[in-house]
């Protein structure tokens, strides 16, 4: 098959269980591969890393006339991105709230144990629905100050928003984009109304901190608060669900590493980093050059869609020794699992804590557990790739 159909094949649902041979084909075809729809696909580590740090590469959909409203900071370029991300970080992490995430460790450990109580020998469980989904959802609800009982409401919104952000060539996305915009608006209004109820009577949560910021220069506008809160709620659980589920799937396929981590629990932080490289929750990111740009001898024209295949970069043999081998003790593991550059994942510290707590507690319970279905059914989304269900017999 021609290399100009690679993106279409990678995003084809039939290849969701194992896109890695296609990523190998992509790297073989060259650092830069033009696609039939006129976009460019890049799958080699060093080129991806360089472009993630290149200020000429835009994430803002308004550069292509896709949207008229101001996007969340994840889809803004500097200086707008820097200002909003800095304001969003104030109640979340250093230097203003250095202990916010760290103090969640005990609560995350407690939540993990509660969720694992029903995991008794002989039972069949779904790792996604029974564990990997409820854990990060509960944590992000607690951080933001969102009632956990409203989860069914924002789950439907999240599904629509995430679907609209997916990379799907050769498909009319008009209806999907419309549904995503509608869901984003409804979810934003819900979160802003929730925040307004805390104005003047704050709780110990991030929505309270946003609306009770005393310095006018550091306050988010109503529109900015809506976009930021939607982003944090969705990004705060969607990718972590994949990280935990992909981790369990990888370890159940490799009982020797499950045993290794049982014997050497101190390896767990490095094993989580290896999972972020080997089976990352985010497979692709889209960028648009603001000027003609040269990548490995190919000129990519201004305004063209460029898809950076992060998951392919993570398996690049020019960067990682034996990249298709899962090695929980891998040294020098500067993966692209959280992206890189100014858009490095905002919630990475929290995701690492959740994954370590989840997998650490699960490992002792999995024993001789087996996968009921392999490969399991996957989510539709090619960009945020992970199993929709992961049935396991304990």
């Amino acid at each position: 098959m021609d290399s100009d159909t690679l993106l279409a094949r990678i995003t084809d649902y039939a290849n969701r269980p194992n896109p890695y041979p296609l990523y190998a084909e992509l790297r073989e075809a060259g650092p830069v591969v033009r696609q039939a729809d006129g976009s460019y696909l890049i799958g080699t580590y060093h080129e991806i890393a360089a472009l993630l740090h290149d200020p000429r590469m835009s994430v803002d959909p308004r550069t292509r006339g896709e949207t008229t409203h101001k996007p969340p900071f994840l889809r803004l370029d500097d200086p707008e991105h820097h200002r909003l991300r800095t304001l969003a970080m104030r109640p979340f992490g250093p230097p203003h709230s250095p202990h916010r995430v760290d103090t969640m460790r005990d609560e995350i450990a407690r939540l993990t144990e509660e969720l694992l109580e029903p995991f008794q020998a002989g039972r069949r469980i779904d790792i996604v629905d029974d564990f990997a989904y409820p854990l990060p959802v509960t944590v992000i609800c607690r951080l933001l100050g969102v009632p956990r009982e409203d989860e069914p409401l924002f789950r439907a919104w999240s599904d629509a928003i995430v679907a609209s952000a997916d990379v799907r060539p050769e498909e009319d996305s008009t209806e999907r984009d419309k549904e995503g915009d509608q869901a984003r608006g409804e979810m934003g209004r819900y979160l802003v109304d929730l925040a307004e109820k805390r104005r003047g009577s704050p709780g110990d949560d991030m929505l309270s901190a946003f609306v009770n910021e005393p310095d006018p220069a550091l306050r988010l506008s109503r529109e900015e608060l809506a976009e930021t809160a939607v982003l944090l709620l969705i990004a705060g659980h969607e990718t972590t669900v994949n990280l935990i589920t992909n981790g369990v799937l990888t370890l159940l396929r490799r009982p020797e590493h499950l045993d290794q981590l049982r014997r050497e629990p101190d390896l767990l932080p490095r094993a989580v980093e290896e999972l972020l490289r080997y089976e990352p929750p985010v497979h692709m990111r889209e960028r648009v050059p603001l000027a003609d740009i040269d990548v490995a001898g190919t000129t990519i024209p201004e305004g063209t869609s460029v898809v950076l295949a992060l998951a392919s970069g993570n398996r690049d043999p020019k960067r990682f020794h034996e990249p298709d081998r899962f090695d929980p003790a891998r040294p020098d593991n500067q993966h692209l699992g959280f992206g890189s550059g100014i858009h490095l994942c905002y919630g990475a510290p929290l995701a690492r804590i959740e994954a370590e707590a989840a997998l650490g507690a699960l490992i002792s319970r999995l024993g001789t557990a087996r996968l009921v279905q392999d490969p399991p059914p996957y989510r539709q989304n090619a960009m945020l790739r992970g199993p929709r269900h992961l049935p396991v017999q304990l």
Side-chain angles (χ1 to χ4, degrees), residues 271-290:
V272 168
E273 296 307 309
E274 175 68 341
L275 286 166
L276 283 158
R277 182 197 71 83
Y278 186 78
E279 283 282 20
V282 180
H283 270 230
M284 286 171 270
R285 281 280 180 239
E286 198 170 3
R287 296 286 189 269
V288 176
L290 298 171

Side-chain angles (χ1 to χ4, degrees), residues 131-132 135-136 240-249 354-355 358-359 362:
F131 184 66
L135 176 64
T240 310
V241 175
N242 283 354
L243 175 56
I244 294 169
T245 310
N246 286 334
V248 175
L249 177 59
E354 289 178 287
L359 294 172
L362 253 181

Side-chain angles (χ1 to χ4, degrees), residues 91-157:
F92 181 70
H96 302 285
S97 309
H99 305 299
R100 169 79 73 180
V101 172
D102 210 45
T103 53
M104 291 289 292
R105 283 182 188 273
D106 289 344
E107 188 164 356
I108 290 168
R110 180 182 58 75
L111 284 168
T112 301
E113 289 302 323
E114 282 178 14
L115 287 167
L116 289 176
E117 272 177 24
F119 284 35
Q120 305 297 330
R123 281 199 63 180
R124 178 178 290 195
I125 46 109
D126 180 351
I127 293 294
V128 178
D129 286 348
D130 298 332
F131 184 66
Y133 182 82
L135 176 64
V137 164
T138 306
V139 171
I140 197 63
C141 284
R142 164 73 185 82
L143 272 171
L144 282 173
V146 174
R148 182 70 172 84
E149 59 268 23
D150 285 354
E151 184 270 331
L153 196 63
F154 64 74
R155 186 172 196 175
W157 288 328

Side-chain angles (χ1 to χ4, degrees), residues 247-311:
V248 175
L249 177 59
T250 299
L251 291 172
L252 285 177
R253 283 171 168 170
R254 292 164 183 77
E256 70 279 12
H257 290 313
L258 199 55
D259 290 341
Q260 182 185 11
L261 290 172
R262 225 177 258 130
R263 292 191 312 270
E264 305 173 59
D266 290 349
L267 262 185
L268 197 57
R270 282 168 78 177
V272 168
E273 296 307 309
E274 175 68 341
L275 286 166
L276 283 158
R277 182 197 71 83
Y278 186 78
E279 283 282 20
V282 180
H283 270 230
M284 286 171 270
R285 281 280 180 239
E286 198 170 3
R287 296 286 189 269
V288 176
L290 298 171
D292 290 1
I293 190 166
D294 182 86
V295 180
T298 297
T299 299
I300 300 177
E302 174 188 351
T304 311
S305 171
V306 179
V307 177
L308 306 177
L310 308 180

Side-chain angles (χ1 to χ4, degrees), residues 145 147 157 185-199 207 211 222 225-226 229:
W157 288 328
E186 290 174 5
M187 193 179 197
R189 285 190 290 276
Y190 160 83
L191 289 166
V192 169
D193 289 347
L194 207 56
E196 286 297 338
K197 291 173 185 171
R198 318 267 164 85
R199 193 181 291 279
L207 288 179
V211 292
R222 187 181 175 88
L225 174 59

